[in-house]
Amino acid sequence: MAFAPLDPLLHNQLRLAIASLLVGVESADFNFLLEKTGATRGNLSVQITKLKEAGYITVKKTFKDNYPNTRCALSAKGLKAFERYVQALKEYLGPDGG
Amino acid sequence: MERELTPSESLKLIETMIGQAKQSFQRNSFYFMLWGVLLIAAMAVNYLMAANGDPRGSYAWGVVGIIGGIASVVHGAREGKKQLVSSFMDRVMLWLWMGFVATLLISLFGGATAGHGVPVGSIIVLTGLPTFVTGQLLRFRPLIFGGILFWVLGAVAFFVDVQATALLYIIAMVFGYLVPGYLLKRQEDGLRTA
């Protein structure tokens, strides 16, 4: 039986961590993602840009108390992709698919 | 963080991250303590003035409504600025309480305008709903018990006189709002008390 391929955009530790964090919230600050993923600023920035370019997340840049502030949220397309990714994972790990 | 993930590692990572983001990030204790104090004060003023034959005591509700409303909005705006994340649970709670306030105001103004007043028992029972649900959402027992207490005392209030109703209202506010609010604050401050 052929498995659905895992979305390469989400099948990456940091990008998957970002998407998973955003699934549970409405929106999150860059610093929240930084703290929870334990990634470096540079790497997090790069992966956020990749997810944004794919249309998986929306990024709003504003100023908060005179400091630049980046706020990320999962888009509808991102949520769909995430659900598909989880479904594909289940197929890999399922009782018949192991 | 760049190596290839196995499917089970992926699932584990998803679970961990969703778990991290699932909690409420807002501090809610302020509102319970603020409104607890204000509403107890309003009921006490109302009761004492009515006991002395002065009907103006009912203005106390309007005064605390305005003070509490302004304090809540200012506090909420300040906290909102500090918040790094906005969760669905916070949104559910915001709209639960906004819906409660709308229901309360419509009942109060409707009852007052129509001239038959509002049974305090109904107000106490109504207050039980958002308190109980908030307690369940936060998994915070003192608020769950507080919500149940509002229901029980509200039900009792239908069968007693005005003086006893005022007393029931104050008891409900102390143990439904004030005490759980204080315990919640301690928990939010990092002290385990509940």
Side-chain angles (χ1 to χ4, degrees):
Chain A
M1 143 178 196
F3 292 126
L6 290 170
D7 184 341
L9 261 161
L10 290 176
H11 197 57
N12 160 284
Q13 200 165 350
L14 185 49
R15 287 195 298 270
L16 183 60
I18 296 167
S20 306
L21 283 169
L22 292 178
V23 158
V25 300
E26 282 210 283
S27 65
D29 197 283
F30 184 84
N31 289 321
F32 174 83
L33 297 174
L34 198 63
E35 182 198 318
K36 297 294 180 191
T37 58
T40 62
R41 281 186 171 270
N43 195 10
L44 183 61
S45 225
V46 168
Q47 304 311 333
I48 283 177
T49 306
K50 281 189 184 169
L51 288 170
K52 185 189 155 197
E53 282 169 355
Y56 284 11
I57 65 171
T58 58
V59 178
K60 245 191 230 168
K61 285 184 191 284
T62 56
F63 278 89
K64 196 156 105 178
D65 299 328
N66 293 326
Y67 287 98
N69 177 252
T70 304
R71 200 135 184 127
C72 305
L74 202 66
S75 67
K77 184 179 173 189
L79 182 63
K80 252 214 166 90
F82 184 81
E83 285 169 352
R84 266 201 307 269
Y85 180 82
V86 172
Q87 194 52 45
L89 274 187
K90 276 188 196 159
E91 283 173 26
Y92 277 92
L93 294 167
D96 308 323
Chain B
M1 278 203 121
E2 284 296 327
R3 61 181 188 80
E4 180 80 1
L5 291 162
T6 67
S8 58
E9 281 174 337
S10 287
L11 212 60
K12 185 116 189 69
L13 177 66
I14 291 169
E15 275 172 11
T16 311
M17 290 297 145
I18 287 180
Q20 297 251 24
K22 219 159 57 178
Q23 59 196 295
S24 166
F25 298 94
Q26 207 162 292
R27 290 172 60 91
N28 301 290
S29 59
F30 171 83
Y31 302 101
F32 287 103
M33 291 198 288
L34 170 78
W35 285 102
V37 168
L38 287 176
L39 294 171
I40 288 168
M43 182 50 104
V45 168
N46 195 37
Y47 176 73
L48 290 174
M49 287 180 80
N52 290 316
D54 190 340
R56 290 174 302 170
S58 56
Y59 291 130
W61 299 109
V63 173
V64 302
I66 291 167
I67 294 173
I70 292 172
S72 297
V73 168
V74 169
H75 181 80
R78 266 196 209 152
E79 286 288 302
K81 266 190 189 170
K82 278 194 255 168
Q83 244 179 309
L84 289 179
V85 59
S86 106
S87 72
F88 291 109
M89 198 195 278
D90 290 332
R91 193 154 73 112
V92 168
M93 281 205 274
L94 172 72
W95 291 112
L96 171 70
W97 284 94
M98 289 291 126
F100 162 69
V101 169
T103 311
L104 190 68
L105 289 178
I106 292 165
S107 308
L108 288 174
F109 283 118
T113 312
H116 51 68
V118 179
V120 177
S122 301
I123 300 295
I124 303 176
V125 170
L126 180 64
T127 309
L129 170 67
T131 309
F132 179 80
V133 174
T134 300
Q136 293 289 4
L137 288 173
L138 295 176
R139 293 200 180 88
F140 189 66
R141 278 204 193 138
L143 274 177
I144 298 172
F145 292 138
I148 295 170
L149 185 73
F150 275 115
W151 286 333
V152 172
L153 295 184
V156 174
F158 286 114
F159 301 97
V160 296
D161 63 14
V162 178
Q163 281 92 343
T165 301
L167 190 65
L168 286 176
Y169 184 85
I170 289 174
I171 293 170
M173 280 296 158
V174 169
F175 294 102
Y177 267 17
L178 265 189
V179 173
Y182 175 70
L183 294 174
L184 187 59
K185 182 180 183 316
R186 288 185 58 174
Q187 196 192 54
E188 288 169 350
D189 288 345
L191 293 167
R192 288 188 64 84
T193 56

